[in-house]
Amino acid sequence: MRYAPDIMNDVKDFLLAQDSTYGEEAIALLCEDCVEYLVLWDAAFAAVHVDNPDQAACDKAQLYIDLAMFKHRQLKFRVTPKTHGMEKHVVSQMLRMKILSKLIEHWVEHYHQIGSRYDLKWINQSNELKRAVIRARREFTASHPEVLKRKEIIMESLRKRKTPDATVAAAVERKRIKTELRAKYVDAAITRQEADLALLLSL
């Protein structure tokens, strides 16, 4: 969510240009709330994507998820099965399975992408059976030991190539920006919740 502030700033400008019953201050506040919401979820997902997490990593993930869900409810969004699963079950599975980061729904999304490529490739083949047979043959060929061996030789030669310094530097800079943005919004959310709790206790 590196670009969340820029995107929501464009959304704010668009909304301000419309005839709306909301005032400028309300629109600005809503857009900032959306930026915070997106970045908090980004931080939560990043915290979940940890290989072999220990108790400290799990505690951090639960804190970030709780902050995101607090904002979720504050914005009056519906709690879906996915958000409920994130809030109540993901961290316990992180502790129990240790490889949860490899099992999240990326494989489903990846399969959707592969499936959509197949659909486009054989869009003119109306017979579903023929389409399935063609795909099965292609996948069988791709899994043949000799084919896999040749692919590994190619991949190994690619791995030996040095990544350009500019590419590495750009990746490092993108990661730094995302990490600082997450930290900014997480710290602000924690501070605000602590202030709200202190206010309640003082009443």
Side-chain angles (χ1 to χ4, degrees):
M1 290 299 148
R2 172 186 173 188
Y3 298 108
D6 296 331
I7 293 170
M8 292 312 302
N9 193 52
D10 289 343
V11 171
K12 181 181 72 173
D13 292 341
F14 172 79
L15 292 175
L16 290 174
Q18 311 304 309
D19 286 332
S20 173
T21 56
Y22 290 99
E24 182 176 342
E25 186 176 343
I27 290 174
L29 180 60
L30 176 61
C31 290
E32 178 56 32
D33 280 341
C34 288
V35 172
E36 181 182 356
Y37 177 74
L38 293 171
V39 175
L40 287 176
W41 269 121
D42 184 48
F45 280 113
V48 168
H49 286 68
V50 177
D51 290 333
N52 299 313
D54 56 14
Q55 185 63 54
C58 290
D59 291 343
K60 177 182 177 181
Q62 188 63 61
L63 171 63
Y64 286 10
I65 292 169
D66 289 344
L67 292 172
M69 285 302 297
F70 180 84
K71 197 68 182 179
H72 189 94
R73 291 186 172 93
Q74 189 180 59
L75 292 172
K76 296 181 171 58
F77 292 152
R78 187 168 62 91
V79 177
T80 64
K82 282 188 176 182
T83 51
H84 166 77
M86 281 289 291
E87 184 177 30
K88 298 297 184 184
H89 304 293
V90 163
V91 171
S92 62
Q93 292 174 12
M94 285 173 66
L95 273 172
R96 186 164 61 250
M97 299 173 66
K98 297 296 183 183
I99 56 168
L100 186 65
S101 63
K102 302 181 189 302
L103 301 177
I104 302 180
E105 63 181 28
H106 294 318
W107 69 271
V108 178
E109 295 302 327
H110 183 58
Y111 194 77
H112 286 328
Q113 291 169 14
I114 293 174
S116 65
R117 286 204 299 269
Y118 278 120
D119 290 341
L120 289 173
K121 187 179 295 184
W122 298 310
I123 193 169
N124 294 323
Q125 175 55 265
S126 58
N127 188 308
E128 290 289 339
L129 178 59
K130 288 184 178 179
R131 188 185 300 182
V133 169
I134 293 170
R135 179 172 175 179
R137 286 175 177 169
R138 293 282 181 89
E139 291 186 352
F140 176 78
T141 302
S143 64
H144 191 280
E146 286 299 320
V147 174
L148 293 175
K149 186 187 298 184
R150 291 173 184 269
K151 285 174 66 177
E152 180 57 31
I153 292 172
I154 294 171
M155 293 305 297
E156 183 62 28
S157 67
L158 291 174
R159 282 194 288 268
K160 289 179 180 177
R161 294 182 183 178
K162 187 176 185 297
T163 305
D165 293 340
T167 303
V168 174
V172 170
E173 179 63 11
R174 286 195 299 271
K175 184 175 181 179
R176 182 191 66 79
I177 292 171
K178 288 183 71 173
T179 301
E180 290 181 356
L181 186 66
R182 290 169 187 158
K184 171 187 172 183
Y185 280 92
V186 166
D187 291 345
I190 292 173
T191 300
R192 188 163 52 252
Q193 284 195 16
E194 288 176 346
D196 291 344
L197 179 60
L199 180 62
L200 285 173
L201 293 175
S202 67
L203 295 178

Short mmCIF file of all heavy atoms in Angstrom, two decimals, residues 26-70:
data_model
loop_
_atom_site.label_atom_id
_atom_site.label_comp_id
_atom_site.label_asym_id
_atom_site.label_seq_id
_atom_site.Cartn_x
_atom_site.Cartn_y
_atom_site.Cartn_z
N ALA A 26 -15.01 16.76 6.01
CA ALA A 26 -15.49 15.38 6.14
C ALA A 26 -14.87 14.48 5.07
O ALA A 26 -14.50 13.33 5.34
CB ALA A 26 -17.02 15.35 6.04
N ILE A 27 -14.78 14.99 3.85
CA ILE A 27 -14.18 14.21 2.76
C ILE A 27 -12.70 13.94 3.04
O ILE A 27 -12.21 12.83 2.86
CB ILE A 27 -14.36 14.94 1.41
CG1 ILE A 27 -15.83 14.92 0.99
CG2 ILE A 27 -13.48 14.31 0.33
CD1 ILE A 27 -16.14 15.74 -0.24
N ALA A 28 -11.99 14.97 3.51
CA ALA A 28 -10.56 14.82 3.81
C ALA A 28 -10.36 13.79 4.93
O ALA A 28 -9.45 12.96 4.86
CB ALA A 28 -9.96 16.16 4.21
N LEU A 29 -11.23 13.83 5.94
CA LEU A 29 -11.13 12.89 7.05
C LEU A 29 -11.41 11.46 6.60
O LEU A 29 -10.70 10.52 6.99
CB LEU A 29 -12.11 13.29 8.16
CG LEU A 29 -12.12 12.39 9.41
CD1 LEU A 29 -10.74 12.37 10.08
CD2 LEU A 29 -13.19 12.85 10.39
N LEU A 30 -12.43 11.28 5.76
CA LEU A 30 -12.76 9.95 5.25
C LEU A 30 -11.60 9.38 4.44
O LEU A 30 -11.25 8.20 4.59
CB LEU A 30 -14.02 10.02 4.39
CG LEU A 30 -14.44 8.72 3.71
CD1 LEU A 30 -14.75 7.63 4.74
CD2 LEU A 30 -15.65 8.95 2.80
N CYS A 31 -11.02 10.20 3.59
CA CYS A 31 -9.91 9.72 2.76
C CYS A 31 -8.69 9.37 3.61
O CYS A 31 -8.01 8.38 3.36
CB CYS A 31 -9.54 10.77 1.71
SG CYS A 31 -10.81 10.96 0.41
N GLU A 32 -8.42 10.14 4.64
CA GLU A 32 -7.30 9.83 5.53
C GLU A 32 -7.59 8.54 6.31
O GLU A 32 -6.68 7.73 6.53
CB GLU A 32 -7.06 10.99 6.50
CG GLU A 32 -5.94 10.75 7.50
CD GLU A 32 -4.60 10.41 6.85
OE1 GLU A 32 -4.32 10.89 5.74
OE2 GLU A 32 -3.82 9.64 7.46
N ASP A 33 -8.85 8.35 6.71
CA ASP A 33 -9.23 7.10 7.37
C ASP A 33 -9.00 5.91 6.45
O ASP A 33 -8.55 4.84 6.90
CB ASP A 33 -10.71 7.15 7.79
CG ASP A 33 -10.93 7.92 9.07
OD1 ASP A 33 -9.96 8.12 9.83
OD2 ASP A 33 -12.08 8.34 9.33
N CYS A 34 -9.30 6.08 5.16
CA CYS A 34 -9.10 4.98 4.20
C CYS A 34 -7.62 4.68 4.01
O CYS A 34 -7.23 3.51 3.90
CB CYS A 34 -9.75 5.34 2.86
SG CYS A 34 -11.56 5.30 2.91
N VAL A 35 -6.80 5.72 4.00
CA VAL A 35 -5.35 5.51 3.90
C VAL A 35 -4.87 4.71 5.12
O VAL A 35 -4.13 3.71 4.98
CB VAL A 35 -4.59 6.85 3.83
CG1 VAL A 35 -3.08 6.61 3.94
CG2 VAL A 35 -4.90 7.57 2.53
N GLU A 36 -5.30 5.13 6.28
CA GLU A 36 -4.91 4.42 7.51
C GLU A 36 -5.37 2.97 7.47
O GLU A 36 -4.61 2.05 7.82
CB GLU A 36 -5.49 5.13 8.73
CG GLU A 36 -5.09 4.47 10.04
CD GLU A 36 -5.71 5.15 11.25
OE1 GLU A 36 -6.40 6.18 11.09
OE2 GLU A 36 -5.53 4.63 12.37
N TYR A 37 -6.60 2.76 7.04
CA TYR A 37 -7.17 1.41 6.97
C TYR A 37 -6.34 0.52 6.04
O TYR A 37 -5.98 -0.61 6.41
CB TYR A 37 -8.61 1.51 6.47
CG TYR A 37 -9.30 0.19 6.28
CD1 TYR A 37 -9.72 -0.57 7.37
CD2 TYR A 37 -9.53 -0.31 4.99
CE1 TYR A 37 -10.36 -1.79 7.19
CE2 TYR A 37 -10.16 -1.53 4.81
CZ TYR A 37 -10.58 -2.26 5.91
OH TYR A 37 -11.21 -3.46 5.72
N LEU A 38 -6.02 1.02 4.87
CA LEU A 38 -5.26 0.23 3.89
C LEU A 38 -3.85 -0.07 4.39
O LEU A 38 -3.35 -1.20 4.26
CB LEU A 38 -5.19 0.98 2.55
CG LEU A 38 -6.53 1.14 1.81
CD1 LEU A 38 -6.36 2.08 0.63
CD2 LEU A 38 -7.04 -0.22 1.34
N VAL A 39 -3.20 0.91 4.98
CA VAL A 39 -1.83 0.72 5.44
C VAL A 39 -1.79 -0.23 6.64
O VAL A 39 -0.88 -1.05 6.77
CB VAL A 39 -1.16 2.07 5.78
CG1 VAL A 39 0.23 1.84 6.38
CG2 VAL A 39 -1.05 2.93 4.54
N LEU A 40 -2.79 -0.13 7.54
CA LEU A 40 -2.83 -1.04 8.68
C LEU A 40 -3.02 -2.49 8.23
O LEU A 40 -2.39 -3.40 8.77
CB LEU A 40 -3.96 -0.64 9.63
CG LEU A 40 -3.70 0.63 10.46
CD1 LEU A 40 -4.94 0.98 11.29
CD2 LEU A 40 -2.50 0.48 11.37
N TRP A 41 -3.86 -2.70 7.23
CA TRP A 41 -4.02 -4.07 6.71
C TRP A 41 -2.75 -4.53 6.00
O TRP A 41 -2.37 -5.70 6.09
CB TRP A 41 -5.22 -4.17 5.77
CG TRP A 41 -6.49 -4.54 6.47
CD1 TRP A 41 -7.65 -3.84 6.52
CD2 TRP A 41 -6.72 -5.72 7.26
NE1 TRP A 41 -8.58 -4.49 7.28
CE2 TRP A 41 -8.04 -5.65 7.74
CE3 TRP A 41 -5.95 -6.82 7.61
CZ2 TRP A 41 -8.61 -6.64 8.55
CZ3 TRP A 41 -6.51 -7.80 8.42
CH2 TRP A 41 -7.82 -7.71 8.87
N ASP A 42 -2.08 -3.62 5.33
CA ASP A 42 -0.82 -3.96 4.70
C ASP A 42 0.20 -4.42 5.75
O ASP A 42 0.91 -5.41 5.57
CB ASP A 42 -0.28 -2.75 3.93
CG ASP A 42 0.99 -3.06 3.17
OD1 ASP A 42 1.03 -4.08 2.46
OD2 ASP A 42 1.95 -2.29 3.29
N ALA A 43 0.23 -3.70 6.86
CA ALA A 43 1.14 -4.07 7.96
C ALA A 43 0.75 -5.42 8.55
O ALA A 43 1.62 -6.24 8.89
CB ALA A 43 1.11 -2.99 9.04
N ALA A 44 -0.56 -5.65 8.67
CA ALA A 44 -1.03 -6.92 9.24
C ALA A 44 -0.63 -8.10 8.34
O ALA A 44 -0.13 -9.12 8.82
CB ALA A 44 -2.54 -6.88 9.41
N PHE A 45 -0.85 -7.96 7.05
CA PHE A 45 -0.48 -9.05 6.13
C PHE A 45 1.02 -9.26 6.09
O PHE A 45 1.49 -10.40 6.00
CB PHE A 45 -1.03 -8.77 4.73
CG PHE A 45 -2.49 -9.10 4.58
CD1 PHE A 45 -3.43 -8.09 4.38
CD2 PHE A 45 -2.94 -10.40 4.65
CE1 PHE A 45 -4.77 -8.39 4.25
CE2 PHE A 45 -4.28 -10.72 4.52
CZ PHE A 45 -5.20 -9.71 4.32
N ALA A 46 1.77 -8.18 6.16
CA ALA A 46 3.23 -8.31 6.17
C ALA A 46 3.68 -9.06 7.43
O ALA A 46 4.61 -9.88 7.38
CB ALA A 46 3.89 -6.93 6.12
N ALA A 47 3.02 -8.79 8.56
CA ALA A 47 3.38 -9.45 9.81
C ALA A 47 3.02 -10.94 9.79
O ALA A 47 3.68 -11.76 10.44
CB ALA A 47 2.69 -8.76 10.98
N VAL A 48 1.98 -11.29 9.04
CA VAL A 48 1.58 -12.69 8.94
C VAL A 48 2.53 -13.48 8.05
O VAL A 48 2.76 -14.67 8.26
CB VAL A 48 0.12 -12.77 8.41
CG1 VAL A 48 -0.23 -14.19 8.01
CG2 VAL A 48 -0.85 -12.27 9.47
N HIS A 49 3.11 -12.80 7.06
CA HIS A 49 3.99 -13.47 6.11
C HIS A 49 5.40 -13.63 6.68
O HIS A 49 6.36 -13.00 6.23
CB HIS A 49 4.04 -12.69 4.80
CG HIS A 49 2.82 -12.82 3.98
ND1 HIS A 49 1.60 -12.30 4.37
CD2 HIS A 49 2.59 -13.43 2.79
CE1 HIS A 49 0.69 -12.57 3.45
NE2 HIS A 49 1.26 -13.26 2.49
N VAL A 50 5.51 -14.45 7.70
CA VAL A 50 6.80 -14.70 8.35
C VAL A 50 7.04 -16.20 8.35
O VAL A 50 6.17 -16.97 8.75
CB VAL A 50 6.79 -14.17 9.80
CG1 VAL A 50 8.10 -14.49 10.49
CG2 VAL A 50 6.56 -12.66 9.81
N ASP A 51 8.21 -16.60 7.92
CA ASP A 51 8.56 -18.02 7.95
C ASP A 51 8.99 -18.42 9.36
O ASP A 51 9.74 -17.69 10.01
CB ASP A 51 9.69 -18.32 6.97
CG ASP A 51 9.24 -18.21 5.52
OD1 ASP A 51 8.04 -18.41 5.27
OD2 ASP A 51 10.08 -17.90 4.65
N ASN A 52 8.50 -19.55 9.83
CA ASN A 52 8.84 -20.08 11.16
C ASN A 52 8.68 -19.02 12.26
O ASN A 52 9.64 -18.70 12.97
CB ASN A 52 10.27 -20.62 11.16
CG ASN A 52 10.45 -21.74 10.18
OD1 ASN A 52 9.65 -22.66 10.12
ND2 ASN A 52 11.51 -21.67 9.38
N PRO A 53 7.48 -18.46 12.40
CA PRO A 53 7.28 -17.39 13.40
C PRO A 53 7.39 -17.89 14.83
O PRO A 53 6.94 -18.99 15.15
CB PRO A 53 5.85 -16.92 13.10
CG PRO A 53 5.17 -18.11 12.51
CD PRO A 53 6.24 -18.82 11.70
N ASP A 54 8.01 -17.07 15.69
CA ASP A 54 8.06 -17.38 17.11
C ASP A 54 6.92 -16.63 17.81
O ASP A 54 6.10 -15.97 17.17
CB ASP A 54 9.42 -17.02 17.70
CG ASP A 54 9.78 -15.56 17.47
OD1 ASP A 54 8.89 -14.76 17.09
OD2 ASP A 54 10.96 -15.19 17.67
N GLN A 55 6.89 -16.73 19.14
CA GLN A 55 5.80 -16.11 19.89
C GLN A 55 5.79 -14.59 19.70
O GLN A 55 4.73 -13.96 19.57
CB GLN A 55 5.92 -16.45 21.37
CG GLN A 55 4.77 -15.94 22.22
CD GLN A 55 3.44 -16.57 21.84
OE1 GLN A 55 3.31 -17.79 21.81
NE2 GLN A 55 2.44 -15.75 21.55
N ALA A 56 6.98 -13.97 19.67
CA ALA A 56 7.06 -12.52 19.50
C ALA A 56 6.49 -12.09 18.14
O ALA A 56 5.76 -11.09 18.05
CB ALA A 56 8.51 -12.06 19.63
N ALA A 57 6.80 -12.85 17.10
CA ALA A 57 6.29 -12.54 15.76
C ALA A 57 4.77 -12.69 15.72
O ALA A 57 4.06 -11.90 15.09
CB ALA A 57 6.94 -13.43 14.72
N CYS A 58 4.26 -13.71 16.42
CA CYS A 58 2.81 -13.93 16.46
C CYS A 58 2.10 -12.83 17.25
O CYS A 58 1.02 -12.37 16.86
CB CYS A 58 2.51 -15.30 17.05
SG CYS A 58 2.98 -16.67 15.97
N ASP A 59 2.71 -12.41 18.34
CA ASP A 59 2.13 -11.31 19.12
C ASP A 59 2.07 -10.03 18.29
O ASP A 59 1.09 -9.28 18.34
CB ASP A 59 2.96 -11.07 20.38
CG ASP A 59 2.84 -12.21 21.38
OD1 ASP A 59 1.88 -13.01 21.25
OD2 ASP A 59 3.70 -12.30 22.29
N LYS A 60 3.13 -9.78 17.54
CA LYS A 60 3.17 -8.60 16.68
C LYS A 60 2.10 -8.68 15.61
O LYS A 60 1.39 -7.70 15.35
CB LYS A 60 4.55 -8.48 16.03
CG LYS A 60 4.69 -7.33 15.04
CD LYS A 60 6.08 -7.33 14.42
CE LYS A 60 6.22 -6.23 13.36
NZ LYS A 60 7.54 -6.24 12.73
N ALA A 61 1.94 -9.85 15.00
CA ALA A 61 0.92 -10.04 13.97
C ALA A 61 -0.48 -9.80 14.53
O ALA A 61 -1.31 -9.13 13.91
CB ALA A 61 1.03 -11.44 13.37
N GLN A 62 -0.74 -10.35 15.74
CA GLN A 62 -2.07 -10.16 16.34
C GLN A 62 -2.33 -8.70 16.66
O GLN A 62 -3.45 -8.20 16.47
CB GLN A 62 -2.19 -11.01 17.60
CG GLN A 62 -3.61 -11.03 18.18
CD GLN A 62 -4.60 -11.68 17.22
OE1 GLN A 62 -4.47 -12.83 16.87
NE2 GLN A 62 -5.61 -10.92 16.79
N LEU A 63 -1.31 -7.99 17.13
CA LEU A 63 -1.47 -6.55 17.41
C LEU A 63 -1.84 -5.80 16.14
O LEU A 63 -2.78 -4.99 16.14
CB LEU A 63 -0.16 -5.99 17.99
CG LEU A 63 -0.10 -4.46 18.12
CD1 LEU A 63 -1.15 -3.95 19.11
CD2 LEU A 63 1.30 -4.01 18.54
N TYR A 64 -1.13 -6.08 15.06
CA TYR A 64 -1.40 -5.37 13.81
C TYR A 64 -2.79 -5.73 13.26
O TYR A 64 -3.49 -4.86 12.73
CB TYR A 64 -0.33 -5.72 12.77
CG TYR A 64 1.02 -5.07 13.02
CD1 TYR A 64 1.29 -4.39 14.22
CD2 TYR A 64 2.03 -5.14 12.08
CE1 TYR A 64 2.52 -3.82 14.46
CE2 TYR A 64 3.27 -4.55 12.31
CZ TYR A 64 3.51 -3.89 13.49
OH TYR A 64 4.72 -3.31 13.72
N ILE A 65 -3.17 -6.99 13.40
CA ILE A 65 -4.51 -7.40 12.95
C ILE A 65 -5.58 -6.70 13.78
O ILE A 65 -6.59 -6.21 13.25
CB ILE A 65 -4.67 -8.92 13.04
CG1 ILE A 65 -3.77 -9.61 12.01
CG2 ILE A 65 -6.12 -9.34 12.83
CD1 ILE A 65 -3.66 -11.11 12.20
N ASP A 66 -5.36 -6.62 15.10
CA ASP A 66 -6.33 -5.96 15.98
C ASP A 66 -6.49 -4.48 15.62
O ASP A 66 -7.60 -3.94 15.64
CB ASP A 66 -5.89 -6.10 17.44
CG ASP A 66 -6.04 -7.52 17.96
OD1 ASP A 66 -6.75 -8.32 17.31
OD2 ASP A 66 -5.44 -7.84 19.00
N LEU A 67 -5.37 -3.83 15.29
CA LEU A 67 -5.44 -2.42 14.90
C LEU A 67 -6.23 -2.26 13.60
O LEU A 67 -7.06 -1.34 13.48
CB LEU A 67 -4.02 -1.86 14.71
CG LEU A 67 -3.17 -1.72 15.98
CD1 LEU A 67 -1.73 -1.33 15.60
CD2 LEU A 67 -3.76 -0.67 16.92
N ALA A 68 -5.98 -3.15 12.65
CA ALA A 68 -6.71 -3.09 11.37
C ALA A 68 -8.19 -3.36 11.57
O ALA A 68 -9.05 -2.69 10.98
CB ALA A 68 -6.11 -4.09 10.38
N MET A 69 -8.53 -4.34 12.43
CA MET A 69 -9.93 -4.66 12.67
C MET A 69 -10.64 -3.56 13.45
O MET A 69 -11.83 -3.33 13.27
CB MET A 69 -10.04 -6.00 13.40
CG MET A 69 -9.78 -7.21 12.52
SD MET A 69 -10.88 -7.30 11.08
CE MET A 69 -12.48 -7.50 11.87
N PHE A 70 -9.91 -2.90 14.33
CA PHE A 70 -10.50 -1.76 15.05
C PHE A 70 -10.92 -0.68 14.05
O PHE A 70 -12.03 -0.13 14.12
CB PHE A 70 -9.50 -1.19 16.05
CG PHE A 70 -10.02 -0.02 16.84
CD1 PHE A 70 -10.79 -0.23 17.97
CD2 PHE A 70 -9.76 1.28 16.43
CE1 PHE A 70 -11.29 0.85 18.70
CE2 PHE A 70 -10.26 2.36 17.15
CZ PHE A 70 -11.02 2.15 18.29
#
